Amino acid sequence: MSKIEKAIERLKSKPKDFTYDEAKMILTSLGFIEDNKGKTSGSRIKFIKNGYAKIELHKPHPGNILKSYQIKDIIEKLEKGGLI
């Protein structure tokens, strides 16, 4: 099992300590590109694939742990798109 496959399985288990960096690794490996609209976007980050698939996140701060609703949203959108 590859590092990405392990990360996806970990995401699906909805852990309480899933990090933004792990999510970014998964999304970029699935072909998403990070877009943060320049300097004024603050912590709002979009991941876009082929110009139409979009996942929006607020980058957590000061820590790196995603909230449970963000994890659920990522899983739902990736499953809906047939990516996981």
Side-chain angles (χ1 to χ4, degrees):
M1 187 178 285
S2 74
K3 182 177 180 180
I4 299 299
E5 291 170 331
K6 288 179 185 177
I8 290 171
E9 289 305 311
R10 179 168 147 70
L11 172 67
K12 287 180 174 180
S13 73
K14 301 176 187 171
K16 300 282 186 204
D17 62 346
F18 199 78
T19 67
Y20 173 82
D21 294 333
E22 289 175 291
K24 181 179 175 179
M25 176 184 64
I26 290 170
L27 293 173
T28 56
S29 74
L30 294 173
F32 285 83
I33 298 170
E34 184 178 16
D35 177 30
N36 66 353
K37 292 187 181 178
K39 295 179 181 178
T40 61
S41 72
S43 62
R44 183 171 290 156
I45 307 293
K46 289 182 183 177
F47 289 91
I48 301 170
K49 181 173 179 162
N50 299 329
Y52 66 90
K54 179 172 60 173
I55 295 176
E56 295 184 41
L57 295 174
H58 278 91
K59 189 173 182 179
H61 53 82
N64 195 24
I65 307 298
L66 293 176
K67 306 261 188 231
S68 61
Y69 76 88
Q70 293 173 305
I71 294 169
K72 289 177 187 175
D73 188 46
I74 293 168
I75 294 168
E76 179 181 300
K77 289 181 179 176
L78 291 178
E79 286 178 341
K80 185 176 180 181
L83 298 170
I84 60 170

